[in-house]
Amino acid sequence: MKRIALLDILRGFAIIGTLGTNIWIFAYLGDLNLVFGNALEPWWSSGDRLLQTIMLILVNGKFLGMLTLLFGAGMELKRQKAVREGYTWPGVYIWSCALLLLDGLLHYILVMEYDVLMSYAITGMIVSLIIHRSRRFILVMMWLAGSIHVIGVTGITALLAFESGAALNGMDTITQLYAAGTWWEQVMFRLNHFGFFRAESIAIIPLNVFLFLLGAMFMRTGVFSNDESGRLKRRKLMIAGLGIGIPLNLLLLIPGGIMDLWVRYISAPVLTLGYLGIIAYGMEKGIFDRLFQRFGEIGKMALSCYILQNIIASILFYGWGLRFGGRPSSLYILLIWAGICLLLMIFSHLWLRFYPLGPVEWLWRKLSISPVSKVTSRDTSI
Protein backbone atom coordinates (compact mmCIF):
# COMPACT_ATOMS: atom_id res chain seq x y z
CA MET A 1 0.00 0.00 0.00
CA LYS A 2 1.34 3.42 -0.96
CA ARG A 3 2.05 5.68 2.02
CA ILE A 4 -0.12 8.75 2.46
CA ALA A 5 2.32 11.67 2.58
CA LEU A 6 -0.05 13.87 4.58
CA LEU A 7 -0.25 11.29 7.37
CA ASP A 8 3.55 11.14 7.64
CA ILE A 9 3.81 14.94 7.78
CA LEU A 10 1.06 15.23 10.38
CA ARG A 11 2.70 12.48 12.41
CA GLY A 12 6.02 14.32 12.26
CA PHE A 13 4.42 17.52 13.53
CA ALA A 14 2.70 15.52 16.28
CA ILE A 15 5.98 14.01 17.49
CA ILE A 16 7.72 17.38 17.60
CA GLY A 17 4.67 18.97 19.20
CA THR A 18 4.45 16.44 22.03
CA LEU A 19 8.06 17.26 22.86
CA GLY A 20 7.00 20.92 22.97
CA THR A 21 4.89 20.00 26.02
CA ASN A 22 7.14 17.37 27.58
CA ILE A 23 10.27 19.53 27.37
CA TRP A 24 8.95 21.65 30.25
CA ILE A 25 8.47 18.55 32.41
CA PHE A 26 12.05 17.50 31.72
CA ALA A 27 13.41 21.02 32.28
CA TYR A 28 11.59 21.45 35.60
CA LEU A 29 12.68 17.97 36.73
CA GLY A 30 9.19 16.54 36.85
CA ASP A 31 7.62 19.34 38.92
CA LEU A 32 4.18 19.68 37.32
CA ASN A 33 3.40 22.66 39.56
CA LEU A 34 5.95 24.65 37.55
CA VAL A 35 4.43 23.58 34.25
CA PHE A 36 0.68 23.54 34.78
CA GLY A 37 -1.39 25.76 37.04
CA ASN A 38 1.33 27.50 39.02
CA ALA A 39 -0.79 29.92 41.06
CA LEU A 40 2.27 31.62 42.54
CA GLU A 41 3.47 32.87 39.16
CA PRO A 42 0.60 34.05 36.93
CA TRP A 43 1.31 34.47 33.25
CA TRP A 44 1.57 38.27 33.45
CA SER A 45 4.14 38.23 36.27
CA SER A 46 7.16 38.17 33.95
CA GLY A 47 8.23 37.90 30.34
CA ASP A 48 9.62 34.45 31.10
CA ARG A 49 6.29 33.17 32.40
CA LEU A 50 4.43 34.81 29.50
CA LEU A 51 6.66 33.03 26.98
CA GLN A 52 6.00 29.70 28.68
CA THR A 53 2.25 30.31 28.70
CA ILE A 54 2.19 31.24 25.00
CA MET A 55 4.09 28.06 24.14
CA LEU A 56 1.72 25.91 26.20
CA ILE A 57 -1.30 27.57 24.58
CA LEU A 58 0.14 26.59 21.20
CA VAL A 59 1.21 23.00 21.95
CA ASN A 60 -0.14 21.61 25.22
CA GLY A 61 -2.43 18.71 24.36
CA LYS A 62 -2.90 19.77 20.73
CA PHE A 63 -0.28 17.51 19.18
CA LEU A 64 -0.94 14.68 21.58
CA GLY A 65 -4.51 14.85 20.30
CA MET A 66 -3.20 14.79 16.73
CA LEU A 67 -1.02 11.77 17.43
CA THR A 68 -3.99 9.98 18.99
CA LEU A 69 -6.22 10.77 16.03
CA LEU A 70 -3.55 9.50 13.63
CA PHE A 71 -3.33 6.20 15.51
CA GLY A 72 -7.01 5.73 14.77
CA ALA A 73 -6.49 6.59 11.10
CA GLY A 74 -3.67 4.04 10.92
CA MET A 75 -5.88 1.39 12.50
CA GLU A 76 -8.56 2.00 9.87
CA LEU A 77 -5.98 1.51 7.12
CA LYS A 78 -5.06 -1.85 8.60
CA ARG A 79 -8.71 -2.83 8.91
CA GLN A 80 -9.22 -2.00 5.24
CA LYS A 81 -6.17 -4.09 4.38
CA ALA A 82 -7.61 -7.00 6.37
CA VAL A 83 -10.84 -6.75 4.37
CA ARG A 84 -8.98 -6.68 1.04
CA GLU A 85 -6.75 -9.63 1.88
CA GLY A 86 -9.52 -11.65 3.49
CA TYR A 87 -8.15 -12.30 6.96
CA THR A 88 -9.95 -11.97 10.28
CA TRP A 89 -10.12 -8.65 12.09
CA PRO A 90 -8.82 -7.77 14.64
CA GLY A 91 -6.75 -10.95 14.45
CA VAL A 92 -3.05 -10.23 14.76
CA TYR A 93 -3.69 -6.53 15.40
CA ILE A 94 -4.22 -7.52 19.04
CA TRP A 95 -0.68 -8.92 18.96
CA SER A 96 0.57 -5.55 17.70
CA CYS A 97 -1.21 -3.82 20.59
CA ALA A 98 0.41 -6.24 23.03
CA LEU A 99 3.81 -5.33 21.59
CA LEU A 100 2.97 -1.64 21.92
CA LEU A 101 2.00 -2.22 25.55
CA LEU A 102 5.38 -3.85 26.18
CA ASP A 103 7.16 -1.05 24.32
CA GLY A 104 5.33 1.54 26.41
CA LEU A 105 6.10 -0.30 29.63
CA LEU A 106 9.82 -0.36 28.84
CA HIS A 107 9.72 3.31 27.82
CA TYR A 108 7.94 4.17 31.07
CA ILE A 109 10.40 2.25 33.24
CA LEU A 110 13.62 3.20 31.48
CA VAL A 111 12.97 6.69 30.12
CA MET A 112 9.89 8.71 31.06
CA GLU A 113 7.06 8.39 33.56
CA TYR A 114 4.49 10.11 31.35
CA ASP A 115 4.69 7.68 28.43
CA VAL A 116 1.51 7.53 26.33
CA LEU A 117 2.15 4.30 24.43
CA MET A 118 0.68 2.02 27.10
CA SER A 119 -2.57 3.97 27.00
CA TYR A 120 -2.60 3.75 23.20
CA ALA A 121 -2.09 -0.02 23.38
CA ILE A 122 -5.07 -0.54 25.68
CA THR A 123 -7.16 1.86 23.60
CA GLY A 124 -6.15 0.01 20.44
CA MET A 125 -7.42 -3.28 21.84
CA ILE A 126 -10.75 -1.67 22.73
CA VAL A 127 -11.22 0.21 19.47
CA SER A 128 -10.21 -2.76 17.33
CA LEU A 129 -13.39 -4.47 18.58
CA ILE A 130 -15.50 -1.46 17.56
CA ILE A 131 -14.00 -0.22 14.32
CA HIS A 132 -15.35 -3.03 12.11
CA ARG A 133 -18.92 -2.47 13.25
CA SER A 134 -21.54 -0.28 11.56
CA ARG A 135 -21.20 3.48 11.24
CA ARG A 136 -24.11 3.91 13.63
CA PHE A 137 -22.49 1.74 16.28
CA ILE A 138 -19.19 3.63 15.93
CA LEU A 139 -20.92 6.99 16.33
CA VAL A 140 -22.75 5.76 19.43
CA MET A 141 -19.45 4.60 20.96
CA MET A 142 -17.86 7.95 20.10
CA TRP A 143 -20.71 9.81 21.76
CA LEU A 144 -20.51 7.57 24.84
CA ALA A 145 -16.72 7.85 25.21
CA GLY A 146 -16.76 11.60 24.56
CA SER A 147 -19.55 12.18 27.09
CA ILE A 148 -17.75 10.21 29.81
CA HIS A 149 -14.58 12.19 29.14
CA VAL A 150 -16.20 15.64 29.13
CA ILE A 151 -18.24 14.94 32.27
CA GLY A 152 -15.19 13.61 34.11
CA VAL A 153 -12.85 16.46 33.19
CA THR A 154 -15.52 19.10 33.84
CA GLY A 155 -16.23 17.58 37.25
CA ILE A 156 -12.55 17.61 38.24
CA THR A 157 -12.23 21.18 36.96
CA ALA A 158 -15.19 22.25 39.11
CA LEU A 159 -13.56 20.69 42.17
CA LEU A 160 -10.31 22.50 41.46
CA ALA A 161 -12.21 25.80 41.22
CA PHE A 162 -13.20 25.39 44.89
CA GLU A 163 -9.57 24.86 45.87
CA SER A 164 -7.93 27.81 44.18
CA GLY A 165 -4.15 27.72 44.37
CA ALA A 166 -4.04 24.00 45.14
CA ALA A 167 -0.80 22.30 44.22
CA LEU A 168 0.25 18.71 43.62
CA ASN A 169 1.94 17.14 46.61
CA GLY A 170 5.22 15.26 46.47
CA MET A 171 6.79 17.30 43.67
CA ASP A 172 9.81 18.20 45.85
CA THR A 173 10.70 14.54 46.22
CA ILE A 174 10.49 14.04 42.45
CA THR A 175 12.61 17.10 41.60
CA GLN A 176 15.29 16.11 44.12
CA LEU A 177 15.44 12.64 42.61
CA TYR A 178 15.76 13.91 39.04
CA ALA A 179 18.28 16.56 40.08
CA ALA A 180 20.64 14.31 42.00
CA GLY A 181 19.52 10.70 41.71
CA THR A 182 21.12 8.08 39.52
CA TRP A 183 19.38 6.65 36.49
CA TRP A 184 18.76 3.39 38.32
CA GLU A 185 17.22 5.21 41.30
CA GLN A 186 14.83 6.91 38.88
CA VAL A 187 13.94 3.55 37.34
CA MET A 188 13.13 2.10 40.76
CA PHE A 189 11.12 5.21 41.67
CA ARG A 190 8.93 4.75 38.59
CA LEU A 191 8.40 1.11 39.44
CA ASN A 192 7.55 1.86 43.07
CA HIS A 193 5.05 4.59 42.05
CA PHE A 194 3.60 2.82 39.05
CA GLY A 195 -0.03 3.47 40.04
CA PHE A 196 0.48 7.18 40.61
CA PHE A 197 2.24 7.83 37.31
CA ARG A 198 -0.05 5.57 35.25
CA ALA A 199 -3.28 7.11 36.56
CA GLU A 200 -3.39 9.64 33.70
CA SER A 201 -2.96 6.88 31.10
CA ILE A 202 -6.08 5.16 32.43
CA ALA A 203 -8.06 8.38 32.87
CA ILE A 204 -7.59 9.47 29.24
CA ILE A 205 -8.79 6.19 27.70
CA PRO A 206 -12.31 7.58 26.98
CA LEU A 207 -10.71 10.53 25.14
CA ASN A 208 -8.38 8.16 23.31
CA VAL A 209 -11.29 5.96 22.25
CA PHE A 210 -13.13 9.01 20.91
CA LEU A 211 -10.09 10.30 18.97
CA PHE A 212 -9.14 6.85 17.65
CA LEU A 213 -12.65 6.43 16.28
CA LEU A 214 -12.67 9.99 14.94
CA GLY A 215 -9.41 9.35 13.11
CA ALA A 216 -10.86 6.13 11.68
CA MET A 217 -13.98 7.97 10.51
CA PHE A 218 -11.82 10.68 8.92
CA MET A 219 -9.94 8.00 7.01
CA ARG A 220 -13.17 6.28 6.01
CA THR A 221 -14.82 9.50 4.77
CA GLY A 222 -11.82 10.72 2.77
CA VAL A 223 -10.57 13.55 4.98
CA PHE A 224 -6.97 12.54 4.27
CA SER A 225 -7.56 11.96 0.55
CA ASN A 226 -5.50 13.87 -2.00
CA ASP A 227 -8.48 15.10 -3.99
CA GLU A 228 -10.78 18.11 -4.03
CA SER A 229 -13.27 16.48 -1.68
CA GLY A 230 -10.54 15.78 0.88
CA ARG A 231 -9.16 19.30 0.59
CA LEU A 232 -12.62 20.81 1.08
CA LYS A 233 -13.23 18.72 4.20
CA ARG A 234 -9.87 19.73 5.65
CA ARG A 235 -10.61 23.42 5.02
CA LYS A 236 -13.87 23.05 6.94
CA LEU A 237 -12.00 21.38 9.79
CA MET A 238 -9.44 24.19 9.77
CA ILE A 239 -12.09 26.91 9.99
CA ALA A 240 -14.13 25.15 12.67
CA GLY A 241 -11.10 24.01 14.66
CA LEU A 242 -9.50 27.44 14.75
CA GLY A 243 -12.74 29.35 15.20
CA ILE A 244 -13.84 27.30 18.18
CA GLY A 245 -10.49 26.04 19.45
CA ILE A 246 -8.62 29.34 19.81
CA PRO A 247 -11.15 30.95 22.22
CA LEU A 248 -11.42 27.70 24.20
CA ASN A 249 -7.65 27.42 24.56
CA LEU A 250 -7.35 31.01 25.77
CA LEU A 251 -9.04 29.76 28.94
CA LEU A 252 -5.50 28.80 29.92
CA LEU A 253 -5.01 32.48 30.77
CA ILE A 254 -7.43 32.26 33.70
CA PRO A 255 -5.32 32.77 36.86
CA GLY A 256 -4.54 29.97 39.27
CA GLY A 257 -4.46 27.14 36.74
CA ILE A 258 -8.14 26.39 37.35
CA MET A 259 -8.83 25.66 33.68
CA ASP A 260 -5.52 24.02 32.78
CA LEU A 261 -6.90 20.48 32.94
CA TRP A 262 -10.01 21.42 30.95
CA VAL A 263 -7.93 23.15 28.28
CA ARG A 264 -5.47 20.25 27.92
CA TYR A 265 -8.10 17.53 27.62
CA ILE A 266 -11.13 19.25 26.05
CA SER A 267 -10.12 22.53 24.39
CA ALA A 268 -6.88 21.18 22.92
CA PRO A 269 -8.41 18.37 20.79
CA VAL A 270 -10.73 20.95 19.19
CA LEU A 271 -7.77 23.10 18.15
CA THR A 272 -6.06 19.92 16.91
CA LEU A 273 -8.56 19.87 14.03
CA GLY A 274 -7.55 23.41 13.10
CA TYR A 275 -3.89 22.44 13.14
CA LEU A 276 -4.64 19.45 10.92
CA GLY A 277 -6.24 21.77 8.37
CA ILE A 278 -3.42 24.34 8.51
CA ILE A 279 -0.67 21.73 8.06
CA ALA A 280 -2.55 20.08 5.19
CA TYR A 281 -3.04 23.49 3.53
CA GLY A 282 0.66 24.25 3.83
CA MET A 283 1.54 20.92 2.23
CA GLU A 284 -0.92 21.49 -0.63
CA LYS A 285 0.50 24.95 -1.36
CA GLY A 286 4.13 23.79 -1.16
CA ILE A 287 4.87 26.25 1.65
CA PHE A 288 8.26 25.44 3.22
CA ASP A 289 8.30 22.31 1.09
CA ARG A 290 11.70 21.03 2.26
CA LEU A 291 10.80 21.63 5.89
CA PHE A 292 7.59 19.67 5.42
CA GLN A 293 9.62 16.85 3.86
CA ARG A 294 11.75 16.72 7.01
CA PHE A 295 8.61 16.49 9.14
CA GLY A 296 7.41 13.69 6.88
CA GLU A 297 10.66 11.80 7.48
CA ILE A 298 10.20 12.13 11.23
CA GLY A 299 6.66 10.84 10.72
CA LYS A 300 7.97 7.76 8.92
CA MET A 301 10.14 7.06 11.98
CA ALA A 302 7.63 8.32 14.53
CA LEU A 303 8.16 5.65 17.17
CA SER A 304 11.95 5.85 16.92
CA CYS A 305 11.91 9.65 17.12
CA TYR A 306 9.42 9.70 20.00
CA ILE A 307 11.65 7.46 22.11
CA LEU A 308 14.86 9.18 20.99
CA GLN A 309 13.66 12.70 21.83
CA ASN A 310 12.79 11.64 25.37
CA ILE A 311 16.17 9.93 25.82
CA ILE A 312 17.96 13.07 24.61
CA ALA A 313 15.90 15.29 26.94
CA SER A 314 16.67 12.98 29.88
CA ILE A 315 20.39 13.19 29.18
CA LEU A 316 20.29 16.97 28.88
CA PHE A 317 18.22 17.81 31.96
CA TYR A 318 18.59 15.07 34.59
CA GLY A 319 21.24 14.85 37.29
CA TRP A 320 22.87 11.73 35.87
CA GLY A 321 23.27 13.57 32.55
CA LEU A 322 24.30 17.14 31.75
CA ARG A 323 22.25 18.68 34.61
CA PHE A 324 20.55 21.45 32.61
CA GLY A 325 17.32 20.99 34.58
CA GLY A 326 15.96 23.01 37.48
CA ARG A 327 14.59 26.46 36.74
CA PRO A 328 16.10 27.41 33.36
CA SER A 329 14.60 30.36 31.51
CA SER A 330 11.76 29.74 29.09
CA LEU A 331 13.85 30.99 26.17
CA TYR A 332 16.60 28.54 27.09
CA ILE A 333 14.10 25.68 27.21
CA LEU A 334 12.67 26.62 23.81
CA LEU A 335 16.15 26.78 22.28
CA ILE A 336 16.89 23.27 23.56
CA TRP A 337 13.54 22.10 22.17
CA ALA A 338 14.43 23.58 18.77
CA GLY A 339 17.86 21.94 18.94
CA ILE A 340 16.36 18.51 19.63
CA CYS A 341 13.91 19.02 16.76
CA LEU A 342 16.81 19.80 14.43
CA LEU A 343 18.67 16.70 15.58
CA LEU A 344 15.61 14.54 14.89
CA MET A 345 15.29 16.00 11.40
CA ILE A 346 18.94 15.30 10.61
CA PHE A 347 18.81 11.82 12.13
CA SER A 348 15.65 10.74 10.30
CA HIS A 349 16.82 12.25 6.99
CA LEU A 350 20.19 10.47 7.10
CA TRP A 351 18.77 7.19 8.37
CA LEU A 352 16.12 6.97 5.65
CA ARG A 353 18.75 7.51 2.98
CA PHE A 354 20.14 4.06 3.83
CA TYR A 355 17.25 2.18 5.41
CA PRO A 356 13.53 2.04 4.56
CA LEU A 357 12.44 1.89 8.22
CA GLY A 358 13.50 3.51 11.46
CA PRO A 359 15.38 1.25 13.94
CA VAL A 360 12.40 0.74 16.26
CA GLU A 361 10.05 0.37 13.28
CA TRP A 362 12.35 -2.30 11.83
CA LEU A 363 12.32 -4.24 15.09
CA TRP A 364 8.56 -3.74 15.29
CA ARG A 365 8.14 -5.21 11.81
CA LYS A 366 10.12 -8.28 12.83
CA LEU A 367 8.26 -8.84 16.09
CA SER A 368 4.80 -8.00 14.75
CA ILE A 369 4.53 -11.33 12.97
CA SER A 370 2.68 -13.13 15.74
CA PRO A 371 3.26 -16.81 16.53
CA VAL A 372 -0.13 -17.64 14.99
CA SER A 373 0.39 -15.63 11.80
CA LYS A 374 3.88 -16.53 10.64
CA VAL A 375 2.42 -18.57 7.84
CA THR A 376 0.89 -15.50 6.23
CA SER A 377 3.80 -13.15 7.11
CA ARG A 378 1.62 -10.10 6.75
CA ASP A 379 2.66 -6.61 7.91
CA THR A 380 0.83 -5.73 11.13
CA SER A 381 2.89 -2.78 12.34
CA ILE A 382 0.99 0.06 13.98
Side-chain angles (χ1 to χ4, degrees), residues 322-343:
L322 297 180
R323 299 174 177 266
F324 290 168
R327 290 297 300 271
S329 70
S330 295
L331 180 59
Y332 186 68
I333 294 171
L334 291 179
L335 289 175
I336 291 178
W337 171 69
I340 296 175
C341 293
L342 182 60
L343 283 175

Side-chain angles (χ1 to χ4, degrees), residues 2-225:
K2 185 178 179 181
R3 296 188 70 96
I4 301 175
L6 176 58
L7 291 183
D8 285 330
I9 292 172
L10 289 171
R11 198 175 290 114
F13 272 96
I15 294 298
I16 294 299
T18 55
L19 179 62
T21 299
N22 292 338
I23 194 75
W24 303 92
I25 301 175
F26 284 112
Y28 293 142
L29 302 176
D31 189 347
L32 299 183
N33 289 321
L34 297 177
V35 183
F36 310 114
N38 184 1
L40 299 177
E41 294 184 13
W43 58 269
W44 62 82
S45 62
S46 67
D48 188 79
R49 179 65 174 148
L50 176 62
L51 182 58
Q52 179 191 16
T53 302
I54 292 172
M55 182 62 178
L56 290 176
I57 288 175
L58 292 174
V59 303
N60 184 22
K62 287 75 177 175
F63 291 98
L64 182 61
M66 183 177 294
L67 190 62
T68 310
L69 189 148
L70 292 171
F71 258 82
M75 184 189 294
E76 172 61 15
L77 285 176
K78 288 170 177 58
R79 187 200 67 82
Q80 292 177 9
K81 181 180 179 182
V83 172
R84 287 196 308 271
E85 298 188 2
Y87 60 89
T88 304
W89 178 268
V92 295
Y93 188 82
I94 298 295
W95 173 255
S96 292
C97 290
L99 284 177
L100 187 64
L101 186 64
L102 176 60
D103 189 6
L105 177 61
L106 292 175
H107 185 245
Y108 165 82
I109 294 172
L110 303 177
V111 183
M112 186 188 186
E113 61 271 29
Y114 298 108
D115 165 79
V116 74
L117 298 179
M118 294 177 69
S119 184
Y120 283 174
I122 295 172
T123 304
M125 293 179 186
I126 297 171
V127 174
S128 67
L129 302 176
I130 301 172
I131 196 174
H132 66 295
R133 303 289 294 275
S134 68
R135 174 185 174 88
R136 178 184 175 82
F137 184 80
I138 291 174
L139 292 176
V140 168
M141 290 297 102
M142 287 178 63
W143 180 88
L144 180 61
S147 297
I148 292 172
H149 174 71
V150 170
I151 291 171
V153 173
T154 302
I156 295 173
T157 300
L159 291 175
L160 292 175
F162 289 104
E163 297 185 15
S164 180
L168 291 171
N169 297 321
M171 290 295 107
D172 289 343
T173 300
I174 295 174
T175 56
Q176 290 173 9
L177 174 67
Y178 285 110
T182 65
W183 172 77
W184 183 248
E185 288 173 335
Q186 293 172 12
V187 167
M188 295 307 299
F189 183 78
R190 295 188 195 105
L191 285 172
N192 292 333
H193 296 83
F194 186 87
F196 172 78
F197 286 123
R198 294 290 76 193
E200 182 196 28
S201 294
I202 300 300
I204 63 173
I205 285 179
L207 173 62
N208 287 349
V209 169
F210 176 85
L211 290 176
F212 267 52
L213 291 173
L214 181 62
M217 293 301 291
F218 280 176
M219 179 59 66
R220 195 174 293 185
T221 56
V223 170
F224 300 109
S225 299

Side-chain angles (χ1 to χ4, degrees), residues 241-378:
L242 296 178
I244 301 172
I246 290 176
L248 287 178
N249 279 271
L250 291 178
L251 294 173
L252 194 70
L253 299 177
I254 293 177
I258 296 173
M259 297 299 296
D260 284 15
L261 193 70
W262 206 88
V263 169
R264 175 173 170 80
Y265 294 114
I266 295 180
S267 301
V270 178
L271 191 54
T272 292
L273 302 180
Y275 283 4
L276 187 158
I278 289 176
I279 295 169
Y281 182 79
M283 187 196 78
E284 293 160 14
K285 297 298 181 181
I287 302 172
F288 305 117
D289 187 54
R290 289 190 177 182
L291 181 62
F292 272 53
Q293 290 178 23
R294 301 291 84 78
F295 277 108
E297 289 166 346
I298 291 175
K300 292 176 182 178
M301 297 174 48
L303 196 54
S304 296
C305 288
Y306 171 69
I307 295 172
L308 179 60
Q309 69 186 17
N310 292 331
I311 292 174
I312 294 173
S314 300
I315 294 171
L316 290 176
F317 291 111
Y318 290 164
W320 54 264
L322 297 180
R323 299 174 177 266
F324 290 168
R327 290 297 300 271
S329 70
S330 295
L331 180 59
Y332 186 68
I333 294 171
L334 291 179
L335 289 175
I336 291 178
W337 171 69
I340 296 175
C341 293
L342 182 60
L343 283 175
L344 292 180
M345 288 181 181
I346 294 172
F347 168 67
S348 57
H349 178 68
L350 294 177
W351 184 276
L352 290 173
R353 290 181 64 181
F354 299 97
Y355 306 100
L357 298 172
V360 179
E361 286 75 11
W362 175 84
L363 180 62
W364 191 275
R365 178 73 65 87
K366 294 294 183 182
L367 296 177
S368 288
I369 306 301
S370 78
V372 298
S373 65
K374 287 183 178 179
V375 175
T376 59
S377 299
R378 291 187 176 103

